[in-house]
Every structure is written in structure tokens, then in C-alpha cells.
Amino acid sequence: MPESPAPHEDQPASATDHLAWRQHVPALASAATGIRQASDAWDAISDSFCGTDDWPTDEKGYADGKVERDAEAWKHVEVFLAHGPEVLAGVRAAASGADYVEGPVSEDLRRIRGIDTTLERAGQIHNEWDQVMALMDASQPGSRAMYASRAEEIRNSEGWHYADELSFHGPALARAGDYLASRVDPDQPSQADRAHVALARSTSGNRGAPSASPPVPPATNPAAPRRSR
């Protein structure tokens, strides 16, 4: 079995293994953004299916829209289930007590305290889905195609609550992970550092233009107020 390349060839494995979680931070940042985009896309059109009393007048369109939102969001929840626990463990190992009190990610570290429950319950939904599919194949071979679509809708609908929670906790985990990974390994540039480099390259040929603020990566944006229907 081939060995994974070490971040630094001259360091013993024990010195780099504890940093392996950092490679999963970009995936979490992207997943958090994906959930927010799915939510925002639904919020942008949901009112068009409702009357002045906010009650759906186009029930099919409203239901179909929520099904689409939930399905898109669940794909990103799966990313959190695959990578979140490892990053969370790494962040907590790298953070000091002082980091929770003050510093660039103190608020983020406090915000992720409830993410364990969110990941655990989303994981239960994932496991229940696997069990349902296994039972279908065992009891009624060939029935998966018939019932899988409806079963997926139920899973995604039940998972939306946890997707919504991850749209709040997830960016905080990604920001804290990015900061702490760059602090533990100074040779690894943070997302903010990469943004500054990109800005310098893009503006180097335009000396006369006024200085612009560096673009902020999606994962570092503060979480927008959550809205869930």
C-alpha cells in the first residue's frame, strides 16, 4: 500500500500526522458555501409560490422547490460527514485555552461547540438511509429503483435542519481550521494570505487604480442570518 506523501520530508511521521486534518479544510469551506447557496436560491423564489398570507398558492411548485433545495444541501452535508470530524478534532487539538478567550478565531471556536451534535444526528440519518437501502435489496431485489427516489426525498427533508445548522457552524469550523493550520505550520499559507497574493498579482499592472480591499474567500465571510421555511 503506497505511503501518503509527507508535507515535510525531513520531519518524522509523528510530527506531521497531526496536521493531516488541514487538507480537509477547503472541502468544508466549499460545502458550507454550497449549503448557503442552496438556501439563498430557495429564499429568492419561495415567495413566488405563496400568497399575501405567506401560504403556498402553488403547492406543487413550492414542494418541488423544497425538494430541490434539500437534495442540493444534503450533498454538502455528506462532505461535512466525511471530513468534519477530523477537522474538528484537529482544531480542538491545535487551539489553546487563550484562543477561546481572545484572538482572530475566538468567536468561531465558541460557535462550533454545538457542531458535534449536528454532525452526529446528520450521521444517524445517513446510517438509517444505508440500512433502508440494504433492507430493500435484501427483501425485495430490484425494488431500489422504485422506492429510492422517495426514500431520498425523506432523507434529504429530515437532513435539511442539520444542513441549516451547518450553514451556521460550518464556516466557523473552516475559518478556525484555516487559521490554526497556518499557525501550526507557518509554511502553509492561509486562505487570507492566498487572497492577498492573488490581489497583488491582479493589481500589479494597474498602478494608477485606487487600492482595493482584498477579496475575502467564501469560507471567511460571516454567516448570514439564517432563514428556513
Side-chain angles (χ1 to χ4, degrees), residues 186-206:
D187 293 336
Q188 179 72 14
S190 67
Q191 291 183 20
D193 292 335
R194 292 193 293 270
H196 281 291
V197 171
L199 177 66
R201 289 175 178 170
S202 65
T203 59
S204 60
N206 189 11

Side-chain angles (χ1 to χ4, degrees), residues 79-132:
V79 174
F80 272 97
L81 293 178
H83 304 291
E86 185 174 355
V87 173
L88 183 60
V91 163
R92 286 176 171 164
S96 66
D99 288 321
Y100 287 87
V101 177
E102 60 182 2
V105 292
S106 57
E107 183 178 347
D108 290 326
L109 290 171
R110 292 191 293 268
R111 183 176 294 178
I112 64 176
R113 285 175 177 169
I115 200 172
D116 306 77
T117 300
T118 301
L119 291 173
E120 180 182 354
R121 292 179 178 172
Q124 289 173 352
I125 292 176
H126 173 83
N127 292 337
E128 288 169 2
W129 155 260
D130 284 342
Q131 293 169 8
V132 167

Side-chain angles (χ1 to χ4, degrees), residues 14 56 59 77 92 118 154 183 194 198:
S14 59
E59 294 187 2
V77 172
R92 286 176 171 164
T118 301
I154 294 173
R183 187 177 70 180
R194 292 193 293 270

